[in-house]
């Protein structure tokens, strides 16, 4: 089923004409969706009541509906469970922090990468999201506040859904829509080397985050099976090429898991690996997943790890846990619904 959000202005105008409405309504509807975060016809009050009723039955405004919203007690982080027309459930998270409003979006239902520690891949992948479904997640977050940043760090491997990823980036950066700067978007990948080259070739200057999770091929391969296809050496070359093509620094994500990859020797190896590359590391203390036995290291272990890596001149940040209370991290809300 097609929704108004799935159509560009020309296609929407044609669709409206085919159901007996004037073409100019396309612009009205798109202004509501993209500029005012008005996502249902009922509240598009400049449309006559008859038209709103007519469209509700002919052409849904949005490709997803909200099944559940889970705010943290301070209300600043909201996890949204969204339902697609085929009843698949998708998660998106809105995170407000001062003037910053970051939306974490999913790119697939489930994930095929099967990282050992991740909830999203426990049941494999059901399907790719459409670009309308990706954009819809951002618009549902825009209801809370103007979106300043978008991270493709929800469910799925965005580079496995490459055409729809690029399409959604084009919609999100289109000046007639919410007109985000590509520089405010970050694509997170497990590290699919050929697709990183493809992304570089588009020349779109989105930020790139690469999930490293180990300083050597053996440690990384244990946690990230998809990584076994490409060596860390190849991955670093792809990252270099990405920086050269887009002018963007690459961030390496490193989830810290007790007893797996969080020892001082791993920190030292990571520091040596990235010293002088100009890349930065984002440490993510492991967010426990029900049914998996991995645990996060103690806070002083995390601090020591960060200190060792930064002693090699590598910029290190440690992720703040904003969404844990609403099981916001990493494909976990959907699982609480028994899906
Ligand atoms: N497929 C993309 C996006 C994954 S989610 C990728 O692989 O990069 C974003 C980051 O969170 C990835 O680095 C992922 O490995 C990490 N992650 C997944 N589950 C996690 C968990 N339970 N705790 C901490 N980090 C996790």
């Amino acid at each position: 089923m097609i929704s108004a959000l799935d159509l560009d202005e020309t296609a929407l105008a044609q669709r409206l004409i085919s159901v007996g409405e004037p073409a100019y309504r396309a612009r009205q509807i798109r202004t509501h969706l993209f500029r005012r975060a008005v996502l249902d016809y009922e509240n598009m009050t400049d449309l006559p009541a008859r038209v709103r009723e007519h469209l509700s039955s002919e052409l849904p405004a949005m490709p997803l509906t909200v099944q559940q919203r889970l705010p943290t007690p301070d209300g600043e982080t909201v996890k949204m469970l969204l339902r697609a027309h085929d009843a698949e459930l998708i998660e998106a998270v809105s995170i407000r922090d001062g003037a910053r409003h970051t939306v974490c979006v999913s790119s697939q239902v489930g994930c095929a990468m099967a990282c050992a520690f991740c909830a999203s891949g426990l049941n494999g992948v059901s399907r790719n999201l459409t670009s309308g479904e990706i954009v819809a997640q951002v618009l549902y977050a825009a209801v809370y506040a103007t979106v300043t940043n978008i991270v493709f760090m929800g469910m799925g491997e965005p580079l496995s859904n490459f055409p729809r990823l690029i399409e959604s980036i084009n919609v999100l950066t289109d000046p007639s829509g919410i007109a985000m700067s590509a520089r405010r978007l970050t694509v997170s990948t497990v590290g699919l080397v050929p697709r990183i080259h493809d992304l570089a070739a588009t020349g779109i200057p989105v930020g790139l985050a690469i999930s490293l999770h180990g300083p050597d091929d053996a440690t990384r391969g244990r946690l990230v099976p998809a990584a076994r296809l490409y060596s860390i050496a190849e991955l670093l070359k792809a990252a270099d090429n990405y920086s050269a093509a887009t002018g963007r620094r690459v961030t390496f994500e490193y989830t810290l898991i007790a007893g797996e990859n969080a020892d001082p020797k791993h920190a030292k190896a990571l520091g040596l690996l990235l010293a002088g590359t100009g890349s930065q590391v984002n440490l993510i203390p492991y967010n426990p997943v029900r049914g998996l036995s991995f645990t996060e290291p103690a806070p002083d272990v995390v601090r020591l790890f960060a200190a060792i890596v930064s002693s090699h001149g590598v910029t290190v940040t440690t992720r703040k846990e904003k969404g844990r209370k609403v099981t916001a991290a990493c494909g976990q809300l959907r699982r609480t619904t028994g899906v």
Side-chain angles (χ1 to χ4, degrees), residues 8 90 120 127 159 212 254:
D8 65 19
I90 295 148
S120 297
R127 67 169 172 86
L159 297 188
L212 196 58
Y254 195 106

Side-chain angles (χ1 to χ4, degrees), residues 150-181:
I150 300 169
V151 295
F152 288 81
M153 293 184 187
M155 274 191 293
E157 167 49 44
L159 297 188
S160 291
N161 188 11
F162 194 84
R164 302 291 89 79
L165 170 71
I166 300 302
E167 212 175 298
S168 66
I169 292 171
N170 287 335
V171 172
L172 292 165
T173 54
D174 183 334
S176 79
I178 65 168
M180 298 279 302
S181 153

Side-chain angles (χ1 to χ4, degrees), residues 21-32:
E21 296 296 340
Y24 67 80
R25 300 243 182 266
R27 167 134 333 154
Q28 284 179 306
I29 292 169
R30 285 172 58 83
T31 300
H32 279 295

Side-chain angles (χ1 to χ4, degrees), residues 111 113 115 117-119 152-154 156-158 188-190 209 211 213 253 255 284-289 319 330 332:
C111 186
M113 298 298 113
C115 296
F117 53 86
C118 177
F152 288 81
M153 293 184 187
E157 167 49 44
S188 177
T189 177
V190 75
S211 296
H213 305 331
E253 294 163 282
T255 293
I284 315 171
Y286 185 60
N287 197 340
V289 173
R319 184 173 304 172
C330 321
Q332 296 193 52

